[in-house]
Amino acid sequence: MKKLLLSIFIVTGILFLASCNKKDNQSSETFNPDDFEIIVTEDPSELSDFEVEPISGQEFVLTNMYPDKNITISLISTNGTYMLAGVSAVNNYFADFTIKGNTIAIGNIGSTRKAGPEEDMNIETEYLNLLNSVGIIFYDGQVLSLETTNGVELLFVPSTNK
């Protein structure tokens, strides 16, 4: 029974990821990285090594894009295993990740399969694609910053929701 449920879950995840790559699902409002401020650190060694434990389980809200969509992320550390989870416009999402210094590698992202307004579904797809390309992470005590391999920063602040 467990193998059957695991197989169903894996197939569902693969179908979801495949559907996210279809061209007809793309937003008419294309993502333009020039619309966002990009912060470049001249010397990455200036960044202190990122530690998940101090913020494990804390919810953060995306602030620099997709206003009013309440996109969230939480990083969770359990016995040396790292996972992230959150809400992306419509659905809940989750993934495992590894971290070394300030370099982060996010595994395959899974999500629930709720439907929503087309605009929100397009925003969700764009956000998850950005999240999938994150390579650098840092936290200054106020802002959690995830930077994609293309230099786009996703800036999160602690949620006021309890």
Side-chain angles (χ1 to χ4, degrees):
M1 184 67 174
K2 287 183 181 179
K3 287 184 180 180
L4 176 63
L5 290 175
L6 179 61
S7 297
I8 291 170
F9 180 73
I10 290 171
V11 170
T12 302
I14 291 169
L15 291 174
F16 172 75
L17 292 174
S19 70
C20 289
N21 291 330
K22 290 184 180 177
K23 295 215 181 273
D24 57 307
N25 282 348
Q26 290 181 348
S27 170
S28 59
E29 299 174 3
T30 58
F31 175 76
N32 182 357
D34 294 333
D35 292 341
F36 302 98
E37 177 183 10
I38 298 174
I39 300 171
V40 177
T41 302
E42 293 294 327
D43 183 3
S45 66
E46 293 175 1
L47 301 173
S48 60
D49 287 349
F50 183 82
E51 294 182 29
V52 176
E53 289 74 14
I55 61 169
S56 181
Q58 184 174 356
E59 182 178 70
F60 290 83
V61 179
L62 183 65
T63 60
N64 66 323
M65 55 183 74
Y66 314 122
D68 304 323
K69 296 302 175 186
N70 199 33
I71 294 175
T72 66
I73 192 168
S74 295
L75 307 176
I76 301 132
S77 172
T78 307
N79 300 325
T81 302
Y82 301 120
M83 294 206 53
L84 59 82
V87 178
S88 57
V90 175
N91 287 287
N92 297 335
Y93 68 91
F94 50 90
D96 60 345
F97 67 94
T98 57
I99 196 156
K100 183 175 183 182
N102 285 85
T103 302
I104 184 171
I106 298 174
N108 292 331
I109 299 172
S111 73
T112 55
R113 300 192 38 104
K114 296 182 280 186
E118 183 176 356
E119 176 188 4
D120 290 352
M121 297 302 293
N122 290 332
I123 287 171
E124 179 170 279
T125 298
E126 290 175 9
Y127 168 72
L128 293 176
N129 285 336
L130 285 169
L131 189 61
N132 197 45
S133 68
V134 165
I136 297 174
I137 185 170
F138 56 93
Y139 181 61
D140 67 5
Q142 296 177 358
V143 177
L144 175 67
S145 176
L146 303 175
E147 186 176 326
T148 70
T149 54
N150 293 328
V152 177
E153 269 193 319
L154 304 171
L155 303 176
F156 297 84
V157 298
S159 173
T160 56
N161 296 331
K162 302 258 174 171

